[in-house]
Every structure is written in structure tokens, then in C-alpha cells.
Amino acid sequence: MMKRETVLVLQGGGALGAYECGAYKALEERGIIPDLVAGVSIGAVNAAIIAGSPRGKAASVLEAFWNEIAVADPLIPHEELSRSVAAWQIALFGVPKLFSPRWLTPSWPAFLPFTWWTWTSLYDPAPLKKTLEKYVNFELLAAREVRLILTAVNVKTGELEVFDSAEKRITADHILASGSFPPGLPWTVIDGKPYWDGGLVSNTPLGPVMERRAGVPMKIYLMHLFPKARPLPTNLPGVLARQKDILYSDKTECDLRSCELKNETLALVHELMAHVDPEAAERIRHGGRYQRLIEQGCHVEITRFAHEGEAFESESKDYDFSRGIIQGHIRHGYEQAHAILAQEAIADGS
């Protein structure tokens, strides 16, 4: 019997990634430490910090990262107005520890003669690269104590590519590539190839995990940042927020249906093999096609944590990095994860 692996899968969602920080803190407090972490976009940043920290001590590093990147709240008592002002401030002036606007860089006068037509992005992610170097232990990543899987899309080919710490050394550029969401951020070039955010193809890197660990029993903790079901929006900001929910709630169900189909196929093959002549059956079992099919068996158990949204949401929810909002997301993830894990423990009788 193979040892069951503990796997953490983190979606992308910008500022909503703070929810993952809170949920992971709850996991760690209950002694649940991943053997493999997969992430895309902001989930790639969280995943790299977790995998690049000493086992069992990642939560404090992750929380320190989110506290550092958060920006001050506007001093406006009205909540909706405060969030609108915060969103505009971030759009205009960026987030100092994550990205800076191109129009505020030293070369900003180039904007005047309309050279902005040649831009391929609105912001510079150089601050994020510096922040990653502070919070991700790349030597520890290279030691592969916790396996890290990130995804990005090749801008030229449109193909999703996987960066796996078991296959190559992960650098800050690989993390940036997974989070290079256009047109906000520029593509990241690695080995001569330009990459954008992997969330453009799939915002849940569950498929690559199941492909690379096919046949391995896994307990997967899956974090969703965009709610699948929500009330009908009542205004334009709500419409734009709901559009993002639907765009990025993603292909998780498709991956799980594929898993079920593989298992049903294997069950049918085993049933048919029972009716095959023993000598022929033995020959088939030693064949390459049979072995490859058996290796695709899908043995997973999934626990989901889902950011359910808030009463007031606008399309800025994924780039509102104001301190109060970030702390709220962390608290929500922490409380919800503890509640889900407690229910799971009761169901398991532990």
C-alpha cells in the first residue's frame, strides 16, 4: 500500500488569496502539513511561501507576507465609499510591495508622446520579485522537502505549462510567470519563452497534480476563491464581480469527473479480466498498455474550503489590498477552515 500524500491546491484570485493564508493557518494548527503544494497566480505565491518554509512553520511566514503587502485603509467611515476609494488608489498608485504603475516610473515622461501605445502591461512587478526573495526560501525549495507545482501559459503557443520542483529548480521568475496576469502585468520570460498567468487556462491546478501523481492515494485540501453560486447582482459593480466569479470558478468539477471516469474504466477492465482465459489474462497484465492504464487509477479524497463572498462585493475584490479587507479575508479563511476541519473530525470519529 502506498502512503497517502497530503496535497494543498490553491486558486488564483489576487487579494482574495489572503483567505488561503487564514485557511492554511488553521490547517497547520491542526497538524496538517502538505507533502505537495500546487498553486496558480496569487495561489502560486502562497504555495511557494509554504513550500519554501520549514515544515510546520509556514503559516507565520505567510501571514507576515500578507501583513507586509497590505496598504493603509482610507480614512472614510462609509464602508462602500471607503472600498471604492481604496480600489481607485491601488489602481492609480499600485501596491508598493507588489506592483508599481508604469506611469509613475522614472521614465514616465515617455507617456507624453503617446509611447504608451507600445506598452504590453500597465504595472511593473519588480516589487513583488523583491518581496518574494524575502519570504521564499529558494534553497529549501530546491531541497524538495515539500514538492511545489505551479502553472503558467505560454503566450505564443497558448499551451499551459507546469513548473514542478521535482523536475527543475523553481526561481522567483517561475512564481512571477504564474501570476503575470494581463494587461496588468507583463509576461515573464523564462528560457526565452514568454509566460502569462496560468489562471487564463485553468484557475485550479488540480489537473496537473492528478496527472503527475496518478495512482498515488491523496488527501487534497482544495481552496476556492470565487463562489460558484451567488444571488443575482443588483448593480454594475456587482455584475462585474459576478462575472469574475463565473470566469474563475473553473474546471474543478471537470477534473473530478475525469477522475471518476478513469476509476469506472479500471473497474470495468478488472471485471472483464475475470472472464478472460487465465493465460491470456496474465499476458495482458504484463503488457505496457495495461500497466499504463492501471497507473492512471485515481485515489483521492477532497476537502474544500470556499470563499463565499460578502454582502458588498465589487469587481475590485481581487485587487483591493487595503489592510482591513486583507485582515477580513484572513479571518474568514481561518474561521471557516477550522469549522470545516472540526466537522470532518467528528465525521471521522476522531
Side-chain angles (χ1 to χ4, degrees):
M1 293 289 293
M2 289 189 198
K3 172 184 174 292
R4 188 168 79 160
E5 291 188 353
T6 300
V7 177
L8 181 62
V9 178
L10 305 175
Q11 276 194 343
L16 298 175
Y19 171 92
E20 296 174 337
C21 171
Y24 181 74
K25 183 178 179 181
L27 285 170
E28 194 171 274
E29 285 181 356
R30 288 179 172 266
I32 300 170
I33 310 300
D35 302 299
L36 184 155
V37 189
V40 62
S41 199
I42 196 65
V45 174
N46 287 338
I49 292 173
I50 292 168
S53 296
R55 286 180 70 88
K57 299 181 179 180
S60 60
V61 181
L62 190 60
E63 193 164 13
F65 164 81
W66 280 96
N67 284 329
E68 179 162 343
I69 66 172
V71 299
D73 294 302
L75 298 176
I76 300 173
H78 189 276
E79 182 183 1
E80 291 189 25
L81 180 58
S82 175
R83 294 183 69 167
S84 296
V85 170
W88 275 105
Q89 286 180 340
I90 289 167
L92 289 172
F93 302 109
V95 178
K97 298 292 183 176
L98 294 182
F99 53 84
S100 57
R102 294 196 59 180
W103 51 87
L104 295 182
T105 61
S107 60
W108 73 268
F111 178 82
L112 297 178
F114 304 104
T115 56
W116 58 274
W117 282 110
T118 65
W119 291 3
T120 56
S121 69
L122 299 174
Y123 300 94
D124 179 3
L128 173 56
K129 188 170 185 179
K130 187 176 294 186
T131 305
L132 287 172
E133 289 166 354
K134 177 179 178 180
Y135 286 98
V136 180
N137 186 329
F138 289 97
E139 292 304 316
L140 195 58
L141 272 184
R144 304 175 186 175
E145 187 173 359
V146 176
R147 185 172 178 177
L148 176 65
I149 290 178
L150 311 177
T151 59
V153 59
N154 186 310
V155 181
K156 289 184 176 180
T157 66
E159 295 294 325
L160 187 71
E161 295 196 22
V162 178
F163 306 133
D164 188 339
S165 65
E167 300 170 358
K168 63 175 69 179
R169 188 183 180 95
I170 301 296
T171 68
D173 282 338
H174 292 98
I175 305 168
L176 286 176
S178 185
S180 295
F181 197 89
L185 300 178
W187 55 71
T188 301
V189 178
I190 301 174
D191 298 329
K193 299 177 182 178
Y195 292 101
W196 270 337
D197 193 309
L200 291 169
V201 174
S202 175
N203 198 40
T204 311
L206 178 62
V209 169
M210 295 172 73
E211 290 169 8
R212 279 169 164 67
R213 305 306 292 154
V216 176
M218 291 184 287
K219 170 64 175 182
I220 298 176
Y221 295 92
L222 179 61
M223 300 198 188
H224 295 270
L225 297 181
F226 295 92
K228 193 175 183 68
R230 288 281 288 166
L232 203 63
T234 58
N235 53 33
L236 190 55
V239 167
L240 295 173
R242 187 63 187 139
Q243 179 197 43
K244 287 184 178 180
D245 290 341
I246 294 170
L247 279 173
Y248 302 122
S249 61
D250 209 49
K251 306 180 178 73
T252 305
E253 300 306 323
C254 180
D255 288 330
L256 294 178
R257 282 195 296 271
S258 175
C259 176
E260 292 171 0
L261 181 59
K262 288 177 182 178
N263 287 342
E264 288 176 4
T265 301
L266 284 172
L268 178 60
V269 168
H270 288 311
E271 185 177 333
L272 292 173
M273 288 289 284
H275 300 282
V276 175
D277 175 76
E279 186 176 334
E282 188 66 17
R283 187 169 62 252
I284 292 171
R285 289 191 183 97
H286 286 87
R289 285 189 296 180
Y290 181 84
Q291 292 298 326
R292 285 192 295 273
L293 180 63
I294 295 300
E295 289 170 359
Q296 292 303 309
C298 194
H299 314 288
V300 300
E301 179 186 344
I302 295 180
T303 296
R304 301 175 189 240
F305 305 104
H307 176 264
E308 298 168 343
E310 302 160 87
F312 170 76
E313 279 195 341
S314 73
E315 67 86 30
S316 66
K317 63 182 179 179
D318 56 341
Y319 64 88
D320 186 349
F321 288 88
S322 52
R323 188 167 303 281
I325 297 300
I326 293 301
Q327 290 300 321
H329 290 327
I330 293 174
R331 185 169 56 253
H332 180 202
Y334 179 78
E335 293 173 353
Q336 189 177 50
H338 262 306
I340 291 171
L341 293 170
Q343 291 174 355
E344 196 171 75
I346 292 171
D348 291 341
S350 57

